[in-house]
Amino acid sequence: MSRVNQHFRLAARPRGMVRREDFEFVEEPAPEPADGQALVEIEYVSLDPAMRGWMNDVRSYVPPVGIGEVMRAGAAGRVVASRTPDLTEGDHVTGMLGVQRYALTDGAGVTKVDTGLAGLPTFL
């Protein structure tokens, strides 16, 4: 299946308020998972105040988002392809997957969630 990934990359360090010009919107083929990876289709992205700080090139509790990198963000979605025994197609997960439609993961920092207990956005 041919999937298109849409994502926002940091294009410039914002000065003051964040502007549209600080980001680049990119569309490209979604990656295929390699051995030990899974592909997550992101359904929800958490927009948090911390994201503004991550755009600054200063020392912090996490490295800054690099120019040209997908904007960091917590996200929730569904595994659509997997080549790892830890995640199977149909699993719902949350993690720092970024502002994008599809994300590859090796499972590190990703948590499986049970959408039978609550809707997927609840886990963000």
Side-chain angles (χ1 to χ4, degrees):
M1 177 186 290
S2 179
R3 297 179 172 102
V4 176
N5 194 15
Q6 301 169 319
H7 52 260
F8 282 92
R9 294 182 184 183
L10 187 64
R13 302 269 177 223
R15 290 187 166 90
M17 295 295 290
V18 177
R19 300 171 305 140
R20 172 66 183 93
E21 296 78 27
D22 296 326
F23 295 94
E24 176 187 14
F25 178 73
V26 178
E27 288 186 313
E28 60 190 13
E32 292 294 327
D35 286 339
Q37 294 181 322
L39 184 67
V40 177
E41 182 175 16
I42 295 171
E43 298 176 33
Y44 299 96
V45 174
S46 181
L47 300 177
D48 299 306
M51 294 170 80
R52 178 59 184 90
W54 298 338
M55 294 179 216
N56 297 331
D57 191 13
V58 297
R59 187 174 174 181
S60 182
Y61 63 99
V62 293
V65 175
I67 300 298
E69 291 181 358
V70 173
M71 184 60 206
R72 181 184 303 135
R78 183 176 53 86
V79 175
V80 293
S82 181
R83 295 185 62 190
T84 176
D86 299 329
L87 297 169
T88 58
E89 288 184 31
D91 283 347
H92 287 93
V93 297
T94 62
M96 283 296 193
L97 299 169
V99 181
Q100 57 187 336
R101 171 59 58 198
Y102 293 98
L104 280 179
T105 180
D106 63 4
V110 171
T111 303
K112 283 195 236 184
V113 297
D114 183 353
T115 57
L117 298 175
L120 188 56
T122 304
F123 294 97
L124 285 179

